[in-house]
Amino acid sequence: MARVQRRRKKKFRWGRFILMMILLLILAGGAYSYYQYKQGLSQASDGKFEDDKKNEEQFKGDLPENGKINVLLLGSDSRGEDHSRTDSILIAQYDQKSHQPKVVSIMRDTYVTIPGHGMQKINAAYAFGGPELLRQTIEQNFGVDINYYAVVDFQGFSKIADTVAPNGVKVNVPQDLIDDMKLDLKPGYQTLHGKELLSYVRFRHDAQSDFGRVARQQEVLSKLKEEATSIKNVFKLPKIVGLLDPYIETNVDSKSKLIVGKDFITGQAHNVKTLRIPLDNSFQNERHNVGDVLSIDLEKNKEALQEFLSAK
């Protein structure tokens, strides 16, 4: 009987030791994550949105339904104004059930009705009324509900890209970009870093104009997604989050961030599917009082956008 009691006692202590080790590992992981986050934050201290959260209360997007999260992603082209015209307009969707990420790029010169302002280029909606008016504009014209928004300051893009992809991103650089941006590069496949990569995604002075830029943005977003979720970057994620914070103004709640982040980290998220609005052969180049616009077949593009986002 004494021998049995000694064994039980020894087993109990061994279990307590394992529990202590688990707690220590959790504390160490938390401390490491916090250190990494603060390190990233210190590298991004000049971010435009460090203390700017004024659009959050104004945004009236409904909560996600059917496990699909729609986020309005906006690239800020600000020169110091509160609401400049948006340089890039994207709808990012993540389906929690199928683990499918999707990105829709809406051309900024798309000619639509902006509530209270009549027919305008769609990128003017942000200048008139911030993310909320742009949300209303997309809902009215395309019948798509947007749950959250995120405004990205492009000035922080180079720091984000260098942290996520320290070895650079390989892209096919056109001669026009090299000449226009006065870059010390040769045309063809090159590995770009930071500021060079920012020039690549914003360039639109070639024969394809804004269409080429949208294609380059979707290309780079997909490659950065792959880099961010690679094994070598998993332990740098807290640092990446800290670096992102001052460069992004968003109302995405913590629960949604954790759900999407967990799937991307564990590799459950599939490759990104992309769509561009307007579709090929669904628009005409026209000139109106607001300048050169893309006059679109609204019903054709509305149907394609809804079908793309509703499909699994």
Side-chain angles (χ1 to χ4, degrees):
M1 178 69 70
R3 191 177 300 172
V4 172
Q5 287 178 342
R6 279 198 298 273
R7 283 179 182 173
R8 284 179 180 172
K9 189 175 182 181
K10 186 176 181 181
K11 186 176 181 181
F12 172 74
R13 287 180 177 176
W14 178 248
R16 188 167 58 181
F17 172 76
I18 292 175
L19 181 61
M20 271 182 58
M21 289 301 297
I22 291 172
L23 288 174
L24 284 172
L25 285 172
I26 292 172
L27 288 171
Y32 173 79
S33 296
Y34 180 74
Y35 169 76
Q36 285 277 299
Y37 173 83
K38 295 296 286 185
Q39 190 178 41
L41 198 63
S42 68
Q43 293 179 16
S45 58
D46 59 341
K48 174 187 172 185
F49 301 122
E50 193 170 4
D51 299 307
D52 187 2
K53 303 295 179 185
K54 58 188 172 185
N55 287 313
E56 290 186 23
E57 294 181 2
Q58 299 173 4
F59 197 80
K60 305 300 180 183
D62 294 329
L63 292 176
E65 294 181 355
N66 303 318
K68 292 186 176 182
I69 301 170
N70 290 333
V71 181
L72 184 60
L73 292 180
L74 307 173
S76 172
D77 193 25
S78 177
R79 300 292 188 272
E81 313 95 316
D82 284 342
H83 289 152
S84 60
R85 295 199 175 206
T86 45
D87 197 51
S88 302
I89 302 172
L90 304 98
I91 300 172
Q93 183 189 84
Y94 187 70
D95 189 331
Q96 300 171 50
K97 296 178 181 178
S98 66
H99 308 292
Q100 179 62 62
K102 298 178 181 178
V103 173
V104 180
S105 297
I106 302 179
M107 306 287 288
R108 65 182 193 169
D109 291 339
T110 302
Y111 200 45
V112 296
T113 301
I114 295 178
H117 298 273
M119 294 295 292
Q120 298 276 349
K121 295 180 181 183
I122 194 169
N123 72 329
Y126 182 72
F128 292 144
E132 169 58 16
L133 184 57
L134 187 48
R135 182 198 67 79
Q136 293 176 24
T137 300
I138 292 172
E139 184 177 24
Q140 178 173 313
N141 288 273
F142 299 104
V144 172
D145 293 326
I146 304 294
N147 311 119
Y148 304 106
Y149 77 91
V151 185
V152 181
D153 175 14
F154 271 134
Q155 297 309 309
F157 176 85
S158 58
K159 287 186 178 181
I160 294 167
D162 281 341
T163 302
V164 173
N167 295 322
V169 175
K170 189 175 182 179
V171 295
N172 191 6
V173 182
Q175 180 69 55
D176 310 59
L177 185 150
I178 296 168
D179 294 340
D180 188 79
M181 300 292 183
K182 297 181 174 59
L183 297 175
D184 185 21
L185 296 170
K186 293 180 180 179
Y189 284 97
Q190 300 287 342
T191 299
L192 302 186
H193 298 264
K195 293 180 179 179
E196 292 175 344
L197 196 60
L198 176 61
S199 296
Y200 179 78
V201 299
R202 300 194 69 186
F203 178 71
R204 67 186 187 101
H205 296 143
D206 57 3
Q208 292 183 302
S209 188
D210 216 26
F211 292 90
R213 179 170 66 169
V214 165
R216 284 188 286 275
Q217 288 174 354
Q218 292 185 341
E219 172 196 12
V220 170
L221 280 174
S222 294
K223 290 182 177 180
L224 287 178
K225 178 259 178 187
E226 292 172 9
E227 285 288 333
T229 56
S230 64
I231 295 297
K232 64 178 181 290
N233 268 328
V234 166
F235 293 106
K236 290 199 298 183
L237 280 172
K239 181 179 179 180
I240 293 170
V241 171
L243 186 63
L244 285 171
D245 267 1
Y247 298 113
I248 298 180
E249 179 196 337
T250 183
N251 69 332
V252 178
D253 61 75
S254 298
K255 181 181 177 181
S256 296
K257 289 178 184 176
L258 288 172
I259 289 171
V260 177
K262 174 184 68 66
D263 286 0
F264 274 77
I265 292 169
T266 57
Q268 292 188 66
H270 302 309
N271 291 332
V272 180
K273 291 184 178 179
T274 61
L275 178 74
R276 190 204 68 215
I277 296 294
L279 306 172
D280 288 338
N281 304 314
S282 71
F283 66 93
Q284 291 183 340
N285 292 293
E286 295 181 357
R287 186 166 184 80
H288 292 269
N289 61 324
V290 295
D292 294 326
V293 303
L294 300 175
S295 183
I296 69 170
D297 181 332
L298 186 59
E299 285 306 312
K300 184 175 182 178
N301 283 281
K302 178 179 179 180
E303 182 180 347
L305 178 56
Q306 291 183 0
E307 183 178 341
F308 178 75
L309 292 177
S310 62
K312 291 184 179 179

